[in-house]
Amino acid sequence: MNRLMSWPEPVVRVQSLSENGIGTIPDRYIKPISDRPALKSEIHDHLEVPVIDLQNLFGKDPALHQETSRRISSACKDWGFFQVVNHGVSHELMKRTRAVWRDFFELPLEVKQQYANSPSTYEGYGSRLGIEKGAILDWSDYFFLNYLPVTLRNQSKWPAQPVSCRELVAKYGAQVTKLCGRLLKAMSINLELKEDYLQNAFGGDEMGACLRANFYPKCPQPELTLGLSSHSDPGAITILLPDPDVAGLQVRKGGKWITVKPFPNAFIVNVGDQIQVLSNANYKSVEHRVIVNSEKDRVSLAFFYNPKSDLLIEPAKELVNEDRPALYKPMTYDEYRLYIRMNGPCGKTQIESMKSNR
């Protein structure tokens, strides 16, 4: 764990590179040819991530409730991603919380540097994932904070400027956590488990939650780099509030990269690796990445809902039988997330390495 105490090299803020008006990006950000985005040819207009109206999931009409549940289940199996509207989170709160993080990233560098992070917890202002010396880096900065459990929530580590930031994050986190609980219930029922099965298996009231505010600066050569390299999310589910004006998220579907078009006032939901493990791969996490833009920067907020860190996660016994044995070895979330903290985003390498030999 000592390797996680500090970064292997001085940290360079990508926003500073962008604002200095460079015409070419440093070699450290140039991806191998096989990983570079084909910005124009990879737009598949006929393929779109499902948009699901959750209004009927919370309503009393059983037929409409069932149809909404069916659509969630289908999206979890076919895509691992879906967008949700009428989700119960205030649109005004979404807008203000995203705006306050944009304001944070526009603060002077010396103010943001007060929150500079280390790889031991990633908490604070950062510009890289993984601790491999000489690694090829992503074109982004971020701010990472712990929201749950409450024992890990330390608002003194959250930005004091803008002054409304801490209050907005607390309110936003409360509403998004509620949405996460509702989605886990729907997924549990769809997997023919008790409605509180997933929530309880991940730790109940002791589940974890983190927020990462992402800043993707303008890039003079977006065809050579990525804002975030291909990966699947290590936790249970992720609720992403995208930038409404600039698309950037790409999802891997059938060997192609599909650019997600943000739906107005929607969240983008994706299945994490721990759901894949617990569902015994009935639901699967999906590779995704972020492209960058030469004309506009982007801000997005990723809310990660995660298992209690020291709980052993393994396939639900109800979903294991002779025809479909347990596909994954038991592992705590603490053990699991150590991989990405050390190696950074690496496609689906980690979840594949967990497969049982039985």
Side-chain angles (χ1 to χ4, degrees):
M1 285 293 285
N2 289 341
R3 291 179 63 204
L4 288 174
M5 294 309 292
S6 61
W7 301 112
E9 300 139 332
V11 174
V12 176
R13 303 305 179 189
V14 178
Q15 186 176 1
S16 297
L17 291 175
S18 177
E19 290 176 351
N20 283 340
I22 58 172
T24 57
I25 62 174
D27 290 347
R28 290 295 306 275
Y29 300 92
I30 298 177
K31 302 294 180 183
I33 292 174
S34 60
D35 294 341
R36 294 178 194 171
L39 298 179
K40 295 211 165 58
S41 63
E42 289 189 338
I43 298 173
H44 303 280
D45 290 329
H46 60 291
L47 286 174
E48 290 193 18
V49 170
V51 179
I52 301 174
D53 188 336
L54 295 186
Q55 185 172 354
N56 294 315
L57 189 67
F58 313 139
K60 295 181 179 179
D61 186 313
L64 293 174
H65 176 93
Q66 192 170 4
E67 173 59 17
T68 306
S69 294
R70 186 199 63 76
R71 294 199 66 207
I72 291 171
S73 183
S74 177
C76 289
K77 288 178 179 177
D78 298 340
W79 280 88
F81 269 82
F82 52 99
Q83 299 194 62
V84 293
V85 295
N86 290 321
H87 39 62
V89 179
S90 159
H91 294 173
E92 181 64 21
L93 181 59
M94 293 163 67
K95 183 179 176 181
R96 290 180 63 203
T97 306
R98 185 172 47 216
V100 85
W101 280 109
R102 177 171 285 282
D103 291 345
F104 169 79
F105 286 111
E106 290 175 356
L107 290 171
L109 180 60
E110 59 269 21
V111 176
K112 294 179 288 193
Q113 283 291 102
Q114 296 171 24
Y115 302 97
N117 71 350
S118 79
S120 58
T121 66
Y122 278 84
E123 211 170 355
Y125 178 50
S127 298
R128 67 178 291 166
L129 300 170
I131 56 169
E132 179 190 343
K133 190 170 184 179
I136 297 173
L137 302 176
D138 290 332
W139 192 262
S140 57
D141 299 324
Y142 62 85
F143 196 103
F144 183 86
L145 59 86
N146 288 312
Y147 185 77
L148 291 174
V150 176
T151 52
L152 284 182
R153 188 188 304 174
N154 184 349
Q155 290 198 353
S156 68
K157 294 183 178 180
W158 301 4
Q161 294 182 54
V163 291
S164 59
C165 185
R166 292 175 179 175
E167 180 185 0
L168 284 170
V169 168
K171 289 179 178 178
Y172 178 84
Q175 290 197 20
V176 177
T177 298
K178 192 173 181 181
L179 172 61
C180 289
R182 287 169 161 173
L183 289 170
L184 283 188
K185 277 187 179 180
M187 290 179 190
S188 292
I189 294 167
N190 289 337
L191 289 165
E192 298 183 2
L193 302 167
K194 293 180 180 177
E195 72 168 25
D196 57 357
Y197 186 96
L198 290 176
Q199 183 85 31
N200 289 340
F202 289 139
D205 292 339
E206 296 181 273
M207 281 189 71
C210 316
L211 178 73
R212 190 177 70 212
N214 304 300
F215 186 77
Y216 302 103
K218 287 183 287 188
C219 178
Q221 295 176 296
E223 71 282 359
L224 298 181
T225 191
L226 290 167
L228 187 57
S229 295
S230 172
H231 66 288
S232 58
D233 289 347
I237 55 175
T238 303
I239 309 289
L240 180 76
L241 177 59
D243 191 301
D245 301 318
V246 192
L249 176 66
Q250 290 190 325
V251 175
R252 197 173 181 87
K253 172 76 168 168
K256 298 175 181 176
W257 288 103
I258 311 302
T259 301
V260 180
K261 301 172 185 174
F263 198 83
N265 298 314
F267 283 114
I268 301 171
V269 180
N270 66 281
V271 171
D273 292 346
Q274 304 305 310
I275 291 275
Q276 178 168 330
V277 170
L278 215 141
S279 73
N280 207 26
N282 282 287
Y283 292 167
K284 292 182 180 178
S285 60
V286 170
E287 276 186 81
H288 51 286
R289 67 184 187 183
V290 176
I291 57 174
V292 288
N293 192 292
S294 60
E295 298 177 1
K296 295 179 180 178
D297 54 34
R298 292 178 60 249
V299 172
S300 68
L301 309 182
F303 190 86
F304 304 103
Y305 202 45
N306 301 325
K308 185 173 183 286
S309 61
D310 58 357
L311 270 186
L312 209 58
I313 306 297
E314 59 186 327
K317 290 180 172 50
E318 293 87 340
L319 302 176
V320 173
N321 53 49
E322 284 187 19
D323 296 328
R324 193 180 182 90
L327 298 177
Y328 305 99
K329 298 173 285 189
M331 184 181 287
T332 68
Y333 185 57
D334 255 347
E335 294 172 301
Y336 192 83
R337 67 180 169 188
L338 183 60
Y339 181 97
I340 195 168
R341 287 186 170 181
M342 294 187 70
N343 299 290
C346 299
K348 291 202 69 173
T349 307
Q350 185 178 11
I351 185 78
E352 294 299 322
S353 72
M354 274 188 69
K355 285 189 172 174
S356 174
N357 295 323
R358 287 178 291 174

